[in-house]
Amino acid sequence: MSATEERPATGGASYEVGFEDLTEELPPTSLEVTGELPEWLSGGLVRVTPAQKDFGARSVSHWFDGAAMLHRFGISAGEVVYSNRFLDTGFRREAIASGGKSMQGFATDPCRTLFQRVQSVFRQPAADNTNVNLSRLGDEHIAMTETPLAICFDPETLATTGADTAAGALGQVTTAHPHHDPLRGELVNFTVQMGPKSRYRVYGRGGSDAQPREIATMPAQEPAYMHSFALTERYALLIENPLVVQPVRLIVGMTLKAESLISQYRWKPELGLRITALDRETGEVAGRWKCAPGFVFHTINAFDRDGEIVLDVCLYEDASIIDALTTERLLDDDATFQDTSAPRATRFELPLNGDEAISAVISDEIDFELPRINYRAHNARPYKYAYGNAASGAPFIKDIVKLDVETGEHLSWGAADHWAGEPVFVPAPDAQAEDDGVLLSVVLDAAAQRSYLLVLDARDLSELARAQAPHTVPFGFHGQFFSS
Ligand code: CO
């Protein structure tokens, strides 16, 4: 592969509209489609986004704090239907009832708001504003955040159907990035159990009616902030950022002193980035590596290989990205992603014989975030392609990138004033090649102030079709394609 067409520089239209509140809920609405959708593509791309920050008397000022809304692009027989609906959460109900006063305190310090979801463990309500990611859990579909309280929804109607609280007994903090175990069929995640003897607890669940099955656990003297983790067929990999908290201090600081959670975390580069491989059969620690300090939101993939583990992540030099993601910074023309270290797709080779880890940037020509892969066929297994977003020098992510993780070669798609979100890979039926499928991304056309569903051929990032939404879909993090 080689880099594709030269992209025009960013134009003048502002992407700020992507951070504005959306309260309009639309029933299924047919969209105009240009181009040709693959005949086989049938199902719904459902994305969850923060959508409402203003509740009248008080509003929160952080992008991450908006009340969770689902958006669905239903695709069938070459046609696209759009609908959107708020999740019916305790967070939103109380925010409406109180005019936003129930959210008091979240917005005063933009830093603390990133961890509002964690904070809410200690201060009800708000633990259920599940605006980060979606998954299947057995027959259920769940929306998640970083507290172990998921909201169930109907992937067709987007109606809220219940809550899933089973993981709550395992800890106060979790990730919104569980993994489907390709061998057992379980949904695997971990929690952080905070207390005098804090622990990480990796568990699996066979379905929404199944209790968590503990897979492995390890002590966490100073628990790290971790947004995701990785699986290989044999191991679970915890990647501890050197952004850590003393649990006792955390609980005292937040409950007695009413301080924010993030202010309790400390950047301790001397700890390095610590990676631990937990054997998923025995629960034993199979390896532990201390690497140069760095910060990871998202893992890309991992797999076992002759006496070692290969782990790919989107790696920042430090945790300054957290501050860079406050709305204040995002909307400041002078403060951009360029002020902070750009995320680089980075490969760690982790020998199981006790040797040190080796790390190498996969491509230093592009930044790379919100990674996706051909998950069904390649999660926890060897793979060649990752798809993600790049800011490419713009103040926010905007382009779609396909990265060959073996060679570092890459392709990209982008257009001036068009801001693309996470590209979700959907494999073609009977696909022979890893990249035989499409990428679905919701893109903001800032000049038109409307979003559209973009469908790219994953092989060469050529555009197959787009479908114009009736309004702007607020910027969000993650979504999933649920096949019909
Ligand atoms: Co994420």
Side-chain angles (χ1 to χ4, degrees):
M1 287 192 292
S2 61
T4 46
E5 86 263 40
E6 209 158 291
R7 289 183 312 282
T10 301
S14 172
Y15 64 92
E16 291 183 18
V17 66
F19 295 106
E20 287 176 4
D21 277 10
L22 174 70
T23 54
E24 178 182 52
E25 296 177 285
L26 295 175
T29 306
S30 274
L31 305 187
E32 188 186 333
V33 176
T34 53
E36 201 81 29
L37 286 158
E39 283 290 320
W40 55 263
L41 189 61
S42 180
L45 174 72
V46 184
R47 294 190 62 77
V48 64
T49 74
Q52 185 177 11
K53 298 184 287 295
D54 186 351
F55 288 91
R58 189 179 177 88
S59 64
V60 291
S61 64
H62 198 287
W63 171 38
F64 288 13
D65 286 335
M69 176 184 272
L70 297 175
H71 309 260
R72 180 177 190 269
F73 291 87
I75 304 167
S76 167
E79 309 213 323
V80 181
V81 170
Y82 172 83
S83 57
N84 68 311
R85 194 162 174 176
F86 279 107
L87 282 173
D88 181 15
T89 60
F91 171 85
R92 184 158 183 269
R93 261 181 271 131
E94 294 192 31
I96 290 170
S98 69
K101 284 179 184 143
S102 67
M103 305 185 298
Q104 191 159 20
F106 297 160
T108 49
D109 175 358
C111 291
R112 74 191 290 179
T113 55
L114 170 64
F115 288 89
Q116 167 247 310
R117 295 183 283 279
V118 184
Q119 178 182 12
S120 62
V121 169
F122 303 92
R123 281 209 222 148
Q124 297 295 331
D128 65 350
N129 187 26
T130 49
N131 65 12
V132 181
N133 197 8
L134 309 173
S135 185
R136 278 192 78 147
L137 174 60
D139 296 331
E140 286 286 0
H141 295 76
I142 55 173
M144 299 166 292
T145 179
E146 291 173 332
T147 58
L149 194 163
I151 297 294
C152 306
F153 65 93
D154 183 316
E156 300 280 331
T157 67
L158 306 184
T160 300
T161 55
D164 180 78
T165 60
L170 294 180
Q172 298 95 335
V173 179
T174 187
T175 83
H177 287 280
H179 279 292
H180 289 278
D181 177 347
L183 300 179
R184 282 175 175 267
E186 285 181 327
L187 196 66
V188 179
N189 204 344
F190 74 93
T191 63
V192 188
Q193 189 166 49
M194 300 263 190
K197 291 185 176 175
S198 299
R199 301 190 76 76
Y200 302 119
R201 303 177 75 179
V202 181
Y203 68 93
R205 282 177 75 191
S208 57
D209 51 354
Q211 286 305 304
R213 177 185 74 87
E214 187 152 284
I215 293 170
T217 179
M218 64 183 254
Q221 206 172 9
E222 288 185 292
Y225 175 72
M226 287 185 270
H227 181 77
S228 65
F229 72 112
L231 287 188
T232 73
E233 289 192 337
R234 180 150 181 194
Y235 304 104
L237 298 171
L238 299 188
I239 301 116
E240 291 177 273
N241 290 309
L243 184 68
V244 297
V245 67
Q246 292 176 6
V248 173
R249 184 191 157 126
L250 170 80
I251 291 164
V252 169
M254 290 177 55
T255 57
L256 300 183
K257 298 183 189 166
E259 293 172 352
S260 67
L261 187 133
I262 186 63
S263 68
Q264 316 299 326
Y265 277 77
R266 294 283 177 272
W267 178 249
K268 290 190 175 177
E270 67 274 16
L271 293 174
L273 185 72
R274 292 164 297 166
I275 304 171
T276 305
L278 295 162
D279 190 310
R280 297 203 282 127
E281 283 303 319
T282 66
E284 301 289 317
V285 173
R288 193 161 163 79
W289 301 267
K290 181 178 172 180
C291 308
F295 182 79
V296 175
F297 270 129
H298 295 113
T299 58
I300 303 171
N301 197 12
F303 56 92
D304 303 311
R305 185 171 75 184
D306 294 338
E308 66 176 4
I309 297 167
V310 178
L311 167 68
D312 296 340
V313 302
C314 301
L315 182 70
Y316 299 84
E317 285 174 15
D318 55 43
S320 58
I321 180 65
I322 290 173
D323 290 343
L325 288 176
T326 61
T327 307
E328 187 185 8
R329 287 273 302 276
L330 285 168
L331 299 183
D332 179 348
D333 291 340
D334 298 324
T336 72
F337 268 17
Q338 290 162 307
D339 296 346
T340 185
S341 86
R344 300 286 178 206
T346 302
R347 170 158 290 190
F348 288 89
E349 292 172 347
L350 308 165
L352 288 161
N353 63 1
D355 285 356
E356 289 189 6
I358 298 168
S359 73
V361 172
I362 294 170
S363 171
D364 57 13
E365 292 171 16
I366 50 160
D367 54 302
F368 197 73
E369 250 296 3
L370 298 178
R372 302 295 296 233
I373 61 170
N374 181 340
Y375 191 85
R376 199 182 307 165
H378 292 274
N379 174 43
R381 292 169 172 162
Y383 75 119
K384 187 171 172 65
Y385 299 115
Y387 312 91
N389 291 121
S392 310
F396 192 62
I397 55 169
K398 69 180 294 294
D399 295 338
I400 294 170
V401 176
K402 175 184 184 181
L403 177 63
D404 182 328
V405 295
E406 292 174 352
T407 66
E409 290 179 282
H410 52 88
L411 297 170
S412 64
W413 178 95
D417 296 327
H418 288 230
W419 304 83
E422 177 195 49
V424 175
F425 179 85
V426 183
D430 310 317
Q432 298 300 307
E434 180 182 331
D435 57 351
D436 187 0
V438 297
L439 295 174
L440 304 179
S441 175
V442 177
V443 184
L444 170 66
D445 178 345
Q449 302 222 336
R450 284 204 300 177
S451 302
Y452 59 92
L453 173 70
L454 175 69
V455 185
L456 299 180
D457 187 325
R459 291 172 295 191
D460 58 7
L461 300 196
S462 60
E463 178 173 334
L464 297 175
R466 64 176 70 184
Q468 198 82 42
H471 52 213
T472 294
V473 176
F475 291 138
F477 310 102
H478 305 294
Q480 303 295 343
F481 184 79
F482 300 114
S483 299
S484 317

